[in-house]
Amino acid sequence: GAGVSQTPSNKVTEKGKYVELRCDPISGHTALYWYRQSLGQGPEFLIYFQGTGAADDSGLPNDRFFAVRPEGSVSTLKIQRTERGDSAVYLCASRSGLAGPGGDTQYFGPGTRLTVL
Amino acid sequence: KQEVTQIPAALSVPEGENLVLNCSFTDSAIYNLQWFRQDPGKGLTSLLLIQSSQREQTSGRLNASLDKSSGRSTLYIAASQPGDSATYLCAVIHGSYKLIFGSGTRLLVRP
């Protein structure tokens, strides 16, 4: 595709509910990242996929957060038993992984704004 | 633990001024450093990526420098325009190529 897309753009849910956020990376990009951005802050790393596997999940805050990328393209971030503190913008980025400086650049989607009431 | 700091947090300048945004990081063992722009309610747009072996990169009116040994980077914007108004984020790239961001500098260019 032309760029990274994320759905939904906005999600409002109630405390304790389960949510899924979807990311469609740029076609052919092998690396995919999830970040979370709170108001007035820079994004914080959550998890990194290389292909289908989670190569680095050190940024996931607790076991309520989980992400998958079963076919090495689309990824879903899943949050169980949501809490008000989970409210943030969730950003997805992809990277081609090719050799050279062009392969290092991460391209971001527009984000999903999650509000937990 | 890597920490990235951006100064100033906010900046307001009249149109036409040249300006410098600062970024500092505590661990010099980085792969690359990347500058982004973020418009309100939008995602991030990559402006410049400086590899660890480089000292600067230029794109149009933007120039970014990197001094790994001192843990500093600057983004220079020449002849600022109202359309440059946005939040500018600096991020260092570590293992796994994950980005570690500063909190950003909110720039307002007044007509």
Side-chain angles (χ1 to χ4, degrees):
Chain A
V4 179
S5 62
Q6 293 186 245
T7 55
S9 56
N10 280 285
K11 176 70 177 177
V12 179
T13 190
E14 294 179 344
K15 180 176 179 295
K17 299 289 188 182
Y18 168 83
V19 297
E20 290 190 352
L21 312 179
R22 176 187 169 107
C23 172
D24 281 86
I26 293 172
S27 179
H29 279 196
T30 59
L32 185 146
Y33 299 79
W34 284 99
Y35 296 85
R36 177 168 73 172
Q37 186 174 26
S38 301
L39 193 64
Q41 301 296 316
E44 293 180 305
F45 168 78
L46 295 176
I47 187 169
Y48 155 57
F49 286 90
Q50 180 58 46
T52 60
D56 184 347
D57 63 359
S58 61
L60 295 178
N62 52 60
D63 61 6
R64 295 187 297 107
F65 288 75
F66 189 70
V68 296
R69 196 186 184 199
E71 297 179 358
S73 55
V74 171
S75 176
T76 304
L77 178 65
K78 308 180 181 193
I79 310 174
Q80 298 178 320
R81 304 182 304 279
T82 52
E83 301 176 356
R84 293 193 179 89
D86 298 335
S87 296
V89 175
Y90 289 81
L91 295 165
C92 175
S94 70
R95 178 175 64 85
S96 72
L98 296 175
D104 294 348
T105 300
Q106 291 188 28
Y107 298 91
F108 280 78
T112 293
R113 181 175 299 278
L114 174 66
T115 303
V116 182
L117 301 177
Chain B
K1 179 188 172 187
Q2 176 74 269
E3 292 184 1
V4 180
T5 303
Q6 290 188 247
I7 295 172
L11 184 62
S12 178
V13 299
E15 182 176 5
E17 272 203 10
N18 302 323
L19 56 99
V20 175
L21 307 182
N22 296 292
C23 172
S24 61
F25 46 95
T26 54
D27 183 352
S28 62
I30 63 171
Y31 288 170
N32 304 316
L33 184 142
Q34 196 165 358
W35 282 92
F36 293 88
R37 168 187 174 136
Q38 186 171 34
D39 293 283
K42 305 289 187 182
L44 279 66
T45 301
S46 178
L47 297 173
L48 290 164
L49 182 146
I50 311 176
Q51 293 187 299
S52 60
S53 58
Q54 298 174 317
R55 293 194 64 83
E56 67 177 335
Q57 279 285 331
T58 298
S59 176
R61 294 182 293 107
L62 305 180
N63 175 277
S65 67
L66 173 63
D67 184 342
K68 270 186 63 176
S69 60
S70 66
R72 295 178 189 274
S73 176
T74 61
L75 179 66
Y76 176 81
I77 303 177
S80 58
Q81 303 171 357
D84 295 332
S85 298
T87 295
Y88 290 80
L89 291 156
C90 162
V92 297
I93 302 172
H94 271 268
S96 306
Y97 284 87
K98 64 187 177 188
L99 296 168
I100 300 173
F101 287 87
S103 295
T105 294
R106 296 186 310 278
L107 174 65
L108 174 64
V109 181
R110 307 186 303 273

